[in-house]
Amino acid sequence: PHVHHLQVPAEPHFSGSIEDFREKHKDNASTLERLQNTVKVCAKCGKACAFTLACCNACGASLQDVQQSHSDNIFMGFIYGIAEGKFRYKISMRVQTPEF
């Protein structure tokens, strides 16, 4: 299937990386907290899973003995208009109307 999307130029509000954004806002604890997710990374397959899960939702391996760690909160990257993390942060525009 093909999903139509608009070719609308949209430059990021913050042209640097999520690490650059963290450095710029290093004195704002609430912003820094929003930029990360608490996760458990599966020792078997490497997937970052919700820290509340008992088993990996990709391969089913136990997460009971896995320590919590953190990953980038990509959605907050979109909200803050950050250009990139481990990859470019870009969302395809599906529709645009005067009302929205």
Side-chain angles (χ1 to χ4, degrees):
H2 176 74
V3 177
H4 295 283
H5 65 274
L6 302 174
Q7 296 295 328
V8 179
E11 296 303 316
H13 181 70
F14 184 81
S15 62
S17 70
I18 197 166
E19 289 303 322
D20 297 334
F21 192 86
R22 281 188 179 104
E23 180 61 29
K24 181 176 181 180
H25 298 278
K26 63 185 174 188
D27 296 327
N28 188 330
S30 62
T31 297
L32 294 177
E33 186 177 346
R34 288 183 196 114
L35 293 174
Q36 63 184 14
N37 297 313
T38 302
V39 297
K40 286 187 174 183
V41 178
C42 178
K44 183 176 178 184
C45 73
K47 182 182 184 298
C49 299
F51 71 92
T52 56
L53 292 179
C55 297
C56 176
N57 57 359
C59 72
S62 175
L63 298 173
Q64 293 297 338
D65 297 325
V66 176
Q67 295 295 312
Q68 291 182 10
S69 59
H70 297 95
S71 66
D72 291 341
N73 186 336
I74 297 167
F75 294 111
M76 290 308 294
F78 290 134
I79 289 169
Y80 285 122
I82 300 170
E84 63 187 52
K86 294 178 182 173
F87 53 87
R88 296 284 299 167
Y89 293 162
K90 186 171 183 167
I91 299 176
S92 298
M93 181 80 70
R94 300 289 192 245
V95 76
Q96 184 172 341
T97 67
E99 296 82 28
F100 186 69

